[in-house]
Amino acid sequence: MSEGKKTAREIIEGYDGPAVRIMEVCGTHTHEIFRLGIRKLLPKQVELISGPGCPVCVTPVSYIDEAVYLALEKSVTICTFGDLVRVPGSKKSLADARSEGGKIHIVYSPADAEKYAKEHPEEEVVFLSVGFETTTPAGCLSVKKAKEEGITNYSMLIANKTMPQAYEALKGSADIFLYPGHVNAITGTKLQEGVSGVVAGFTAKELLTALAVALTHFQKGKPFFVNCYPRVVTEEGSKEAQRLVDTLMEACDSEWRGLGIIPGSGLCLRDEWGMYDARKKYQVPKMEGRANPACRCGDVLQGKCKPSDCKVFGKVCTPQHPVGACMVSGEGACSAYYMYGRE
């Protein structure tokens, strides 16, 4: 059978090329690859490693400390996605803050938080805005709407990040990146020079195709970038979302858990929208977060180790009692390894 007529599964299972490390940048890819049993198809020389594709996981400890400070010291109502509530800070999580009287309100979108602020004018409301290019536009829309409606009791504590700088910081950690399809749906397909990879979707067929294409190109020994998710990802991406974010936000340096500060990898509100920046509004002091030294979440996010290499994994650290963010989040690598396998 010719190479062109082989199925994606046959290409993967029959790969006899050099050893290769493929980084799943997206946390959803990590979970889906486990859930679908794709890891069992890989030859021994093909290694899948996890990367910084979970927004909750890469959010630094200092950010949780800031949120706890706002809840307990400034008595604001924190609106947040559920995953962030149990992420440990230096001393306390938001769950701890709630047990001490802090008001923590779970929402499913920034729009929900803005609506809550509108319906509760007597409360100061802060939305915890974390995420990558996919979720940032929704936060911008909530701020824009708040301004249009004259809502002054709403602001965001921002930890939004952009992926290209992280790719550059990690390009020595893997041979191939499995790029997150939903991020590229916003940004488009811009080749990161020197960082080979494929944009992947999320179904079994899409993931198998992406891995087969990656292995086929890798054997050629030249840098490559292939969009294997064309039904969603285009070359230009979402121009409307890009314009919205550019109008309200600008690039800034940002701290990533495990990666440190990456220049230009974060986003913050422009000065003209500063009244919706919680750090400015409440004069939040600079926090120096301290992670639990037993947790290797930072190493996992860099592909330096597997979750199962961590001494506390599955013992002290479980989804019920997480030591680090990677075990808390539904997109975290540690939670995926705990749920599906501990290889």
Side-chain angles (χ1 to χ4, degrees), residues 89-309:
S90 296
K91 295 181 179 179
K92 300 175 183 177
S93 66
L94 286 168
D96 296 326
R98 182 168 54 190
S99 70
E100 294 180 19
K103 192 160 187 180
I104 313 298
H105 182 67
I106 305 300
V107 295
Y108 297 97
S109 72
D112 289 345
E114 190 269 346
K115 182 181 179 183
Y116 181 91
K118 183 179 180 179
E119 295 174 347
H120 298 80
E122 74 284 359
E123 297 180 30
E124 288 293 321
V125 178
V126 173
F127 173 67
L128 302 188
S129 184
V130 302
F132 303 122
E133 289 90 341
T134 315
T135 56
T136 301
C140 290
L141 277 175
S142 73
V143 167
K144 187 178 180 182
K145 187 176 180 182
K147 187 173 184 179
E148 291 171 351
E149 296 180 338
I151 297 173
T152 59
N153 65 323
Y154 177 68
S155 60
M156 299 197 304
L157 185 65
I158 298 170
N160 294 83
K161 295 174 173 24
T162 54
M163 292 303 300
Q165 296 81 1
Y167 299 149
E168 288 295 321
L170 285 166
K171 65 182 181 181
S173 300
D175 301 302
I176 301 170
F177 284 162
L178 199 62
Y179 288 110
H182 42 28
V183 168
N184 285 98
I186 302 297
T187 64
T189 54
K190 297 177 182 178
L191 173 63
Q192 297 300 308
E193 186 176 352
V195 185
S196 293
V198 292
V199 180
F202 301 92
T203 67
K205 182 179 179 180
E206 288 164 344
L207 285 166
L208 287 171
T209 297
L211 288 169
V213 169
L215 293 174
T216 299
H217 279 272
F218 181 70
Q219 292 186 85
K220 298 177 183 178
K222 297 179 180 179
F224 64 90
F225 179 91
V226 182
N227 178 16
C228 295
Y229 197 29
R231 69 183 178 90
V232 173
V233 175
T234 64
E235 184 176 357
E236 290 190 342
S238 173
K239 288 294 185 182
E240 185 176 0
Q242 293 168 20
R243 283 193 294 269
L244 173 64
V245 173
D246 288 344
T247 298
L248 274 73
M249 291 184 154
E250 60 187 358
C252 64
D253 298 344
S254 184
E255 181 183 357
W256 297 58
R257 188 187 297 259
L259 302 178
I261 294 176
I262 302 178
S265 66
L267 291 167
C268 61
L269 288 170
R270 294 183 183 275
D271 288 341
E272 56 266 37
W273 297 89
M275 70 286 290
Y276 296 101
D277 184 331
R279 291 188 180 90
K280 294 179 180 179
K281 185 174 183 178
Y282 300 104
Q283 298 181 324
V284 178
K286 183 173 176 57
M287 305 281 180
E288 297 291 343
R290 298 184 302 279
N292 188 319
C295 174
R296 296 193 67 186
C297 186
D299 290 335
V300 170
L301 293 169
Q302 297 177 76
K304 290 183 176 179
C305 75
K306 294 179 179 180
S308 51
D309 295 330

Side-chain angles (χ1 to χ4, degrees), residues 294-340:
C295 174
R296 296 193 67 186
C297 186
D299 290 335
V300 170
L301 293 169
Q302 297 177 76
K304 290 183 176 179
C305 75
K306 294 179 179 180
S308 51
D309 295 330
C310 179
K311 292 182 179 180
V312 298
F313 172 81
K315 300 167 187 170
V316 177
C317 184
T318 66
Q320 293 74 34
H321 301 285
V323 174
C326 295
M327 185 63 87
V328 176
S329 174
E331 296 183 4
C334 293
S335 67
Y337 272 70
Y338 187 90
M339 185 180 302
Y340 298 111

Side-chain angles (χ1 to χ4, degrees), residues 59-67 89-90 255 257 287-290:
T59 299
V61 174
S62 58
Y63 181 82
I64 302 300
D65 294 343
E66 290 177 313
S90 296
E255 181 183 357
R257 188 187 297 259
M287 305 281 180
E288 297 291 343
R290 298 184 302 279

Side-chain angles (χ1 to χ4, degrees), residues 29-94:
H29 281 160
T30 299
H31 277 257
E32 284 303 289
I33 287 170
F34 259 121
R35 187 182 69 82
L36 295 167
I38 292 175
R39 284 175 173 267
K40 297 177 182 178
L41 305 179
L42 302 177
K44 61 181 180 181
Q45 72 269 38
V46 179
E47 181 183 9
L48 286 178
I49 58 175
S50 300
C54 161
V56 170
C57 303
V58 300
T59 299
V61 174
S62 58
Y63 181 82
I64 302 300
D65 294 343
E66 290 177 313
V68 169
Y69 170 84
L70 286 169
L72 296 182
E73 301 299 326
K74 295 297 183 178
S75 299
V76 307
T77 297
I78 296 293
C79 285
T80 178
F81 300 129
D83 279 0
L84 278 172
V85 173
R86 295 190 302 122
V87 175
S90 296
K91 295 181 179 179
K92 300 175 183 177
S93 66
L94 286 168

